Amino acid sequence: MAQVHSQHTQYLSKDQLKEMVEQYTGKSSSSLGWAIGSFGIKMCAKAIQAKLPPVVYAWIGAITTVVAGAALLRDITTYTERQDFVGLLQNLIDNPRQFTRFKVVSTIWMEWHEGPTMGYYTYYTTVSYDVA
């Protein structure tokens, strides 16, 4: 059975999300709301989905070396693809007083495997996103 090895929470401001959209589209905007209005919420969600895995990888990579780099980036990308970034962005825009940041929680799991002569741990990562 897998157990949590470590868990890390990071927050991204609306300005940081706007920068991700700008890098992806190659165009500048004055705010996240303006970017969504100009480029469309689906394009902005796609931009954030594309830009987040390397950012999360850098955070986790700086904290731990338990998970191999290629496996960690693959895990983060896999979980990033499953997220509803359109819904999260809609919450940020529709409820600006309630939600001001984008929350990223990365969890490194370890699982014990018992072999015939010895045991070993395997590690993997899950990442979840929310607004805060």
Side-chain angles (χ1 to χ4, degrees):
M1 182 172 178
Q3 57 188 357
V4 174
H5 177 270
S6 61
Q7 191 170 55
H8 312 284
T9 303
Q10 295 286 338
Y11 294 92
L12 293 167
S13 68
K14 290 179 183 179
D15 286 340
Q16 289 171 303
L17 295 175
K18 176 187 74 87
E19 288 173 19
M20 289 179 181
V21 173
E22 289 175 343
Q23 290 172 359
Y24 186 83
T25 62
K27 299 176 183 175
S28 63
S29 57
S30 58
S31 69
L32 181 62
W34 188 88
I36 289 171
S38 298
F39 309 131
I41 196 163
K42 288 186 180 180
M43 171 63 82
C44 292
K46 186 176 178 182
I48 293 168
Q49 179 180 336
K51 292 291 181 179
L52 265 177
V55 172
V56 175
Y57 172 77
W59 289 336
I60 299 174
I63 296 167
T64 182
T65 56
V66 170
V67 181
L72 178 58
L73 192 54
R74 183 191 67 239
D75 289 346
I76 293 168
T77 301
T78 299
Y79 285 97
T80 300
E81 290 168 357
R82 296 179 188 170
Q83 299 299 313
D84 176 22
F85 287 101
V86 171
L88 294 174
L89 286 175
Q90 196 68 54
N91 272 339
L92 277 176
I93 298 305
D94 291 348
N95 305 295
R97 291 198 171 120
Q98 184 178 359
F99 301 117
T100 59
R101 303 176 295 175
F102 199 77
K103 181 179 179 181
V104 181
V105 178
S106 51
T107 306
I108 298 176
W109 301 84
M110 64 183 191
E111 190 168 7
W112 177 254
H113 299 275
E114 189 70 45
T117 58
M118 60 181 261
Y120 61 94
Y121 281 105
T122 58
Y123 297 88
Y124 61 95
T125 305
T126 58
V127 180
S128 64
Y129 305 93
D130 204 349
V131 289

